[in-house]
């Protein structure tokens, strides 16, 4: 943590306007310049390399990107669940409800975990402890954060199991995880996450391990409880179809950075960055039936040999000399709509037009 | 008969609660499942009865058996080197004083079993705590604790007992038990550490951390119950090891006092 503390001090001394809690009171979570590194044998992996985003109270944000782009690490960093060593939150601020989570003690952080911020994991099959009943596990979460008797906690467990639509919750609380199917376990995990009425729910690929019909049910459930309880939602996924149905705002990540943000409609219907376009293009659609599946050329660069400038440049069909310089997250159009791409820089009208035509064609193909 | 069936099959529309298709399923906890499996395992049941038989004999037989441990019998002239088993002495008698071996065994069972079970239990408790903490936290904590374990494992137990007997005096069986426990836990600690190294990376541990469970609680409430079966197996084997070990040091004269009956007594009684 020493590097983080040094960075915090430096910022305080310089009086950088960026530090301090967010001014707007409806902002629940604001992540600023988050950098999370892993020090491994071959060097340092910059898994998250300067990520900023905001979630309003009751708001929903989708974080999408390929495997290994730093989505889950971002979520774990918010929960301070990064194992140190080898991991390290090297820099940044995570303002949650007026407090910087990175400055809290372990004790204070434990109260926030599960109480104010709850998390749903990717693998429902292994996220429940095999030796305890479902009821024991939910009750434990309740009793860790609220002063209630064992009986009340049990009642709360039954209540939250009912909320997530499990049949016969009175019997479910006495069952062991191995007696439940994957979809039921994911419901139990959602119930556990909701049992303390968190202000923020982080869902880390909640549907990846489930089959398609159950996926739809679970997404609908997350949507419903989000609307019912008014909790904010950070949904992490690599499935664009999932975010399209679930969230209001979207952040696309690539190689540890956010490359595009905006409302979900705008990002999906009008991508301003070739990477987002590539992601959309990879969705198999009706128009592309019979043709070879399209994928983004090349692979994610090795974390030890990142290209200079734009990290997507080696794979980008539109790249030119300017791309060897690091682009900023540029404002495009209205506020909160940003893209990290030189195509959006003022003066690149010709190139932008070529790109826009290609992007429009992609969107047309996908939407059909 | 047919009419009742028809109404049963009428489904949820019929009066009464919705049909319960899972009514036959009873949720069993870890111990209930273990007990069920144990009951079906013939060899395990045989072993259990044998063990319980030994315990029962240790408790009851010293009161019923015709020979008393502290009374030296009148020697028979034709048995100087010890009698073979006969209707009076079913295990035979020792040479010299001609004591009934079965009496020695039955009386000795009490202290020997107490030392074995006690040392294994305390060893398992200390070993689980040390191994759990080392395996869960890793890093320098793990290094420190495991070097202590290595150091203890490198000491030859026999010489340690000789030294302890020299300085603390020998004879007290509780002391022997403590010594065996103190030198038995490093093995358990290594085992538990290795189990924790794999279990700590399980998703349910991370999930527990994510709902705000403290490290102590994760170690003892969430991970340890998952590691309990290998610990039980290792401790069971340790019981036998400690009993033999105690008999060995007592035979050398550095263990339990001669006047206290243990399973070492038949070997050193004339």
């Amino acid at each position: 943590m020493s590097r983080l503390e040094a960075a915090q001090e430096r910022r305080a001394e310089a009086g950088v306007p960026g530090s301090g809690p967010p001014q707007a009171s409806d902002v629940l979570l604001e992540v600023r310049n988050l950098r999370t590194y892993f020090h491994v044998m071959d060097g340092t992996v910059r898994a998250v390399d300067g990520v900023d985003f905001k979630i309003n109270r009751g708001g929903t944000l989708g974080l999408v990107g390929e495997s290994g782009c730093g989505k889950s690490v971002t979520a774990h960093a918010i929960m301070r669940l990064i194992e140190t060593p080898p991991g390290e939150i090297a820099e940044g601020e995570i303002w949650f409800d007026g407090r910087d989570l990175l400055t809290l003690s372990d004790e204070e952080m434990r109260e926030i975990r599960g109480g104010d911020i709850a998390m749903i994991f990717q693998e429902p099959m292994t996220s429940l402890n095999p030796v305890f009943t479902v009821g024991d596990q939910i009750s434990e979460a309740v009793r860790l954060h609220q002063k209630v008797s064992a009986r009340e906690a049990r009642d709360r467990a039954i209540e939250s199991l009912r909320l997530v639509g499990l049949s016969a919750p009175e019997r479910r609380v006495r069952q062991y995880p191995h007696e439940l199917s994957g979809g039921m376990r994911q419901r139990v995990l959602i119930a556990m996450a909701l049992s303390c009425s968190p202000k923020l729910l982080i869902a880390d690929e909640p549907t990846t391990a489930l089959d398609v019909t159950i996926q739809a049910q679970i997404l609908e459930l997350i949507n419903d409880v989000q609307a019912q309880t008014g909790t904010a939602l950070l949904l992490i996924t690599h499935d664009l179809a999932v975010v399209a149905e679930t969230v209001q705002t979207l952040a696309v990540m690539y190689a540890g950075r956010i490359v595009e943000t905006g409302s979900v409609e705008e990002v999906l219907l009008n991508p301003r960055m070739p990477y987002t376009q590539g992601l959309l293009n990879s969705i198999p659609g009706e128009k592309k039936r019979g043709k070879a599946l399209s994928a983004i050329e090349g692979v994610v660069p090795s974390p030890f040999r990142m290209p200079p400038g734009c990290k997507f440049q080696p794979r980008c069909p539109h790249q030119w000399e300017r791309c060897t310089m690091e682009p900023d997250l540029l404002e495009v159009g209205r506020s909160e709509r940003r893209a990290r791409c030189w195509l959006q820089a003022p003066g690149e009208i010709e190139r932008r037009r070529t790109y826009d035509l290609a992007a429009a064609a992609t969107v047309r193909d996908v939407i059909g | 008969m047919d009419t009742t069936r028809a109404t049963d099959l009428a489904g949820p529309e019929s009066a009464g609660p919705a049909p319960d298709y899972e009514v036959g399923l009873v949720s069993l906890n870890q111990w209930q499942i273990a007990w069920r499996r144990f009951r079906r395992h013939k060899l395990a049941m045989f072993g259990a009865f044998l063990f319980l038989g030994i315990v029962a004999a240790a408790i009851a037989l010293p009161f019923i058996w015709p020979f008393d441990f502290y009374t030296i019998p009148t020697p028979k002239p034709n048995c100087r080197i010890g009698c073979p088993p006969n209707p009076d002495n079913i295990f035979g008698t020792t040479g010299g004083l001609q004591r009934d071996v079965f009496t020695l065994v039955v009386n000795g069972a009490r202290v020997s079993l107490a030392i074995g079970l006690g040392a294994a239990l305390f060893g398992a408790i200390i070993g689980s705590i040390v191994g759990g903490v080392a395996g869960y936290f890793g890093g320098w904590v793990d290094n420190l604790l495991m070097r202590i374990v290595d150091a203890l494992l490198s000491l030859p137990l026999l010489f340690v007992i000789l030294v302890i007997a020299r300085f603390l005096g020998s004879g007290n069986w509780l002391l022997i038990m403590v010594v065996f426990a103190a030198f038995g836990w490093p093995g358990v600690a290594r085992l538990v550490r290795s189990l924790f190294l794999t279990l700590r990376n399980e998703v349910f541990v991370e999930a527990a951390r994510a709902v705000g469970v403290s490290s102590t609680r994760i170690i003892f409430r969430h991970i340890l119950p998952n590691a309990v079966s290998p610990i039980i197996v290792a401790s069971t084997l340790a019981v036998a090891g400690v009993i033999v070990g105690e008999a060995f040091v007592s035979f050398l004269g550095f263990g339990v006092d001669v006047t206290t009956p243990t399973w070492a007594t038949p070997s050193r009684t004339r």
Side-chain angles (χ1 to χ4, degrees):
Chain A
M1 276 304 202
S2 58
R3 196 198 302 217
L4 174 67
E5 277 158 15
Q8 280 165 347
E9 256 171 48
R10 231 183 302 125
R11 208 174 313 110
E13 276 167 21
V16 178
S19 60
Q23 296 305 309
S25 62
D26 60 337
V27 174
L28 177 67
L29 175 78
E30 182 166 355
V31 175
R32 290 189 201 140
N33 192 29
L34 179 68
R35 289 171 198 273
T36 306
Y37 301 158
F38 290 90
H39 303 286
V40 294
M41 205 107 76
D42 297 325
T44 298
V45 177
R46 302 182 164 215
V48 174
D49 203 10
V51 158
D52 307 72
F53 61 82
K54 273 182 218 174
I55 301 178
N56 287 342
R57 283 172 203 284
T60 52
L61 174 76
L63 204 54
V64 297
E66 275 168 289
S67 301
C69 69
K71 304 171 303 231
S72 288
V73 176
T74 306
H76 282 73
I78 294 172
M79 293 289 268
R80 291 242 319 254
L81 286 174
I82 302 285
E83 257 198 65
T84 333
E88 176 201 17
I89 299 177
E91 214 179 319
E93 292 162 66
I94 299 172
W95 290 96
F96 176 79
D97 220 8
R99 290 199 281 178
D100 185 352
L101 296 185
L102 297 182
T103 61
L104 297 186
S105 69
D106 287 350
E107 197 74 29
E108 290 170 308
M109 200 55 220
R110 253 205 319 272
E111 266 160 43
I112 290 203
R113 282 186 208 133
D116 290 333
I117 308 180
M119 191 158 172
I120 306 169
F121 288 88
Q122 186 171 354
E123 287 155 48
M125 302 312 277
T126 50
S127 295
L128 288 166
N129 195 329
V131 300
F132 297 121
T133 61
V134 161
D136 284 346
Q137 295 186 50
I138 302 178
S139 311
E140 181 183 32
V142 172
R143 296 195 71 186
L144 279 171
H145 298 287
Q146 269 136 18
K147 293 220 176 329
V148 292
S149 68
R151 178 172 287 271
E152 279 173 84
R154 172 60 51 124
D155 290 343
R156 290 279 290 276
I158 293 174
E159 213 37 61
S160 48
L161 285 177
R162 186 169 289 131
L163 179 73
V164 297
L166 273 181
S167 61
E170 294 84 2
R171 199 172 57 230
R172 297 281 171 235
V173 292
R174 289 195 306 270
Q175 286 188 318
Y176 286 87
H178 70 264
E179 299 174 70
L180 306 178
S181 70
M184 285 155 97
R185 287 188 212 183
Q186 194 60 291
R187 282 174 194 266
V188 169
L189 287 164
I190 295 172
M192 189 145 103
L194 293 172
S195 61
C196 292
S197 337
K199 293 175 186 153
L200 173 66
L201 180 64
I202 301 177
D204 187 359
E205 310 223 10
T207 57
T208 308
L210 304 172
D211 70 56
V212 184
T213 48
I214 306 297
Q215 270 185 19
Q217 289 176 10
I218 294 292
L219 281 180
E220 200 174 317
L221 173 68
I222 292 179
N223 261 339
D224 284 353
V225 294
Q226 194 271 326
Q228 258 180 53
T229 59
T231 167
L233 174 70
L234 172 60
L235 179 74
I236 294 171
T237 180
H238 56 249
D239 190 340
L240 289 175
V242 165
V243 285
E245 291 168 23
T246 320
V247 298
Q248 299 150 357
T249 46
L250 195 59
V252 182
M253 271 188 91
Y254 184 76
R257 284 145 206 254
I258 286 181
V259 293
E260 184 161 359
T261 60
S263 79
V264 73
E265 294 87 7
E266 282 186 58
V267 174
L268 294 185
L269 296 180
N270 187 12
R272 295 301 191 96
M273 152 93 199
Y275 178 62
T276 318
Q277 182 211 343
L279 285 182
L280 282 169
N281 200 26
S282 319
I283 301 175
E286 218 171 316
K287 287 249 175 94
K288 299 184 222 165
R289 180 164 302 187
K291 294 182 204 160
L293 288 172
S294 43
I296 304 176
E297 293 284 318
V299 289
V300 183
S302 153
F304 305 112
R305 300 187 64 187
M306 279 290 177
C310 174
K311 304 291 173 254
F312 186 58
Q313 153 234 322
R315 304 170 73 185
C316 182
H318 301 274
Q319 62 96 12
W320 75 104
E321 312 82 64
R322 199 172 178 182
C323 295
T324 52
M325 291 189 311
E326 173 76 47
D328 285 330
L329 207 51
L330 301 164
E331 295 257 351
V332 275
R334 276 175 284 154
S335 65
E336 304 301 316
R337 181 83 179 91
R338 295 192 179 87
R340 194 185 287 278
C341 184
W342 287 123
L343 287 169
Q344 303 303 331
E348 300 290 354
I349 302 161
E350 268 311 303
R351 291 177 194 279
R352 188 152 70 232
R353 186 169 300 144
T354 329
Y355 164 74
D356 282 348
L357 284 173
T362 301
V363 171
R364 226 174 18 249
D365 277 356
V366 173
I367 307 296
Chain B
M1 201 37 185
D2 277 354
T3 47
T4 46
R5 270 217 153 163
T7 45
D8 280 351
L9 290 174
E13 301 89 3
S14 68
D20 190 344
Y21 298 108
E22 291 179 54
V23 82
L25 296 179
V26 187
S27 296
L28 299 174
N29 70 28
Q30 214 182 348
W31 301 108
Q32 289 167 319
I33 291 171
W35 172 235
R36 252 193 189 188
R37 242 187 246 158
F38 191 81
R39 243 178 11 202
R40 287 192 196 145
H41 196 305
K42 290 208 180 80
L43 210 55
M45 285 308 278
F46 174 71
F49 277 119
L50 202 63
F51 176 70
L52 288 177
I54 292 173
V55 171
I59 294 168
L61 281 184
F63 298 112
I64 329 173
W65 206 248
F67 300 94
D68 177 47
F69 180 77
Y70 294 101
T71 318
I72 292 177
T74 333
K76 295 176 190 163
N78 55 349
C79 276
R80 292 250 168 69
I81 53 158
C83 279
N86 59 60
D88 279 345
N89 317 101
I90 56 171
F91 279 9
T93 64
T94 63
L97 292 178
Q98 297 185 15
R99 308 191 61 186
D100 177 42
V101 174
F102 191 70
T103 309
L104 301 182
V105 168
V106 161
N107 281 280
R110 294 177 163 191
V111 171
S112 276
L113 285 176
I115 291 178
L117 293 172
L121 181 70
F122 286 125
I125 292 172
I126 303 170
S128 298
I129 294 172
V130 174
V133 168
Y136 179 77
F137 289 108
W140 67 267
V141 180
D142 181 27
N143 250 320
L144 177 72
L145 292 174
M146 282 306 114
R147 293 304 78 78
I148 295 172
V149 164
D150 289 345
L152 282 174
L153 283 174
S154 69
L155 288 177
L157 181 56
L158 184 62
F159 290 105
V160 173
I161 287 177
L162 299 190
V163 169
I164 288 173
R166 167 77 180 74
F167 286 102
L168 298 177
S170 61
N172 186 350
W173 68 269
L174 275 172
L175 182 70
I176 298 293
M177 186 179 93
V178 169
V179 171
F180 274 103
F183 284 86
W185 69 261
V188 182
R190 269 197 180 168
L191 171 76
V192 174
R193 170 182 174 265
S194 71
L195 292 167
F196 267 61
L197 285 181
T198 44
L199 286 169
R200 65 187 285 232
N201 293 324
E202 289 284 332
V203 187
F204 66 78
V205 173
E206 198 179 16
R209 229 177 285 149
V211 291
V213 184
S214 66
S215 298
T216 327
R217 210 175 147 81
I218 287 180
I219 293 175
F220 296 110
R221 283 274 297 158
H222 288 256
I223 305 186
L224 200 57
N226 284 287
V228 88
S229 1
I231 299 174
I232 289 177
V233 172
S235 307
T236 315
L237 296 175
V239 173
V242 171
I243 289 175
V244 173
E246 179 274 323
F248 180 54
V249 293
S250 296
F251 174 70
L252 293 181
F254 294 97
V256 176
D257 194 76
V258 202
T259 55
T260 311
T262 79
W263 277 342
T265 318
S267 70
R268 52 180 176 152
T269 307
R270 298 191 194 188

